[in-house]
Amino acid sequence: MTSNNKKSQKDILAERIGKILKIRRLEMGIKQREMASILGCSIGQISFYETGRNLIPLDVLMEACRVLNYDECDLLKMAKEKLVTRQNVRL
């Protein structure tokens, strides 16, 4: 975050992307530890991605979308348009 506690565009986008990925993962019944194993990272890192604490690298995002059967372009459009709700993320 910026020094004046306002979130940057990057921080906001990271949070939205993470929320979409988490909703989708939960709906598919995939546990964080399974996702971490598939993506080759720690459970903690999955948590950081899902909360937006860390921005997910593009290669990891693409693999996560493949695993979650989600189109990367649709995910990015949804995150940009502020349409992150459980109903909008459904399969």
Side-chain angles (χ1 to χ4, degrees):
M1 277 195 270
T2 59
S3 60
N4 62 2
N5 289 335
K6 286 184 104 178
K7 291 183 182 180
S8 70
Q9 292 277 1
K10 184 177 94 172
D11 293 335
I12 293 167
L13 191 59
E15 285 180 5
R16 291 178 186 163
I17 289 170
K19 186 174 181 181
I20 292 166
L21 293 175
K22 181 177 182 177
I23 291 169
R24 176 71 105 189
R25 178 182 61 75
L26 292 172
E27 287 181 345
M28 293 184 72
I30 300 172
K31 298 193 180 297
Q32 279 187 332
R33 73 175 164 273
E34 295 171 290
M35 197 68 173
S37 177
I38 293 166
L39 298 179
C41 62
S42 69
I43 295 169
Q45 190 61 55
I46 295 296
S47 178
F48 288 165
Y49 292 152
E50 290 181 348
T51 60
R53 185 168 175 187
N54 288 1
L55 184 61
I56 187 168
L58 184 57
D59 61 326
V60 178
L61 176 62
M62 292 178 72
E63 180 63 11
C65 286
R66 185 193 65 76
V67 169
L68 299 173
N69 195 31
Y70 208 81
D71 181 79
E72 301 93 344
C73 291
D74 289 344
L75 181 144
L76 294 173
K77 284 180 197 173
M78 187 182 306
K80 187 176 179 189
E81 294 172 2
K82 306 178 192 179
L83 299 175
V84 183
T85 65
R86 186 170 289 277
Q87 292 83 5
N88 292 338
V89 179
R90 296 214 183 274
L91 293 171

